[in-house]
Amino acid sequence: MAVGWFGGSCGHRAYCRAGDIVHCPGRKIPGRSYPGGWAQSITVPADTPAHIPDALDLLDAAPFGCAGVTTFNAVRKPGARADGRVAVFGLGGLGHLAVQFAAKLGYETIAIGRGVDRVKLARDLGAHHYIDTPPRRPGLP
Ligand SMILES: [Zn+2]
């Protein structure tokens, strides 16, 4: 089982009734709403844990608890056409997942990062294109 940033819902406000439990002001967050977070073990509401398939290694599954949900919804929910194009800014903790989701969902995927050393990583993650951005110059907006 995995417990991500989302640690339970109130189940009765309009957001929860509409299925948008992440945006409900009554949502629960481990470490904030109840003890947990970096703990070795925690007690969580019954609707909180996500099942991890036996075939998936726990370390491989861990990013899906928060970053995976965040990026998957960011790629999926804007309603891009099936032949659409998705640009992902950054290839860090969230971006590397977003690039993989976008590419696997069939979008023409553009990774935007900093440094030519990221080209291979972007391609390995499934990006069709990579745009290298220069570092921000002092004095420019
Ligand atoms: Zn709620």
Side-chain angles (χ1 to χ4, degrees):
M1 298 293 215
V3 176
W5 179 84
F6 172 74
S9 64
C10 75
H12 61 81
R13 288 182 175 92
Y15 282 100
C16 284
R17 290 196 315 268
D20 190 10
I21 54 179
V22 172
H23 293 109
C24 177
R27 69 185 175 272
K28 308 227 179 337
I29 302 168
R32 183 170 158 189
S33 304
Y34 48 80
W38 294 101
Q40 290 290 317
S41 63
I42 59 174
T43 301
V44 299
D47 66 339
T48 300
H51 174 72
I52 299 174
D54 292 338
L56 187 57
D57 183 83
L58 292 177
L59 290 177
D60 291 335
F64 293 106
C66 187
V69 172
T70 300
T71 54
F72 182 75
N73 285 328
V75 170
R76 184 182 62 136
K77 288 194 172 181
R81 295 186 332 235
D83 63 345
R85 187 177 296 152
V86 170
V88 177
F89 292 81
L91 290 172
L94 297 176
H96 86 282
L97 291 171
V99 166
Q100 292 176 80
F101 286 134
K104 293 290 184 187
L105 288 169
Y107 296 117
E108 180 181 3
T109 304
I110 305 164
I112 303 170
R114 182 164 294 159
V116 292
D117 59 322
R118 297 291 199 147
V119 173
K120 182 179 182 329
L121 173 62
R123 298 270 185 208
D124 290 348
L125 294 172
H128 301 95
H129 313 282
Y130 178 79
I131 298 173
D132 182 22
T133 59
R136 186 168 181 262
R137 293 193 174 91
L140 293 178

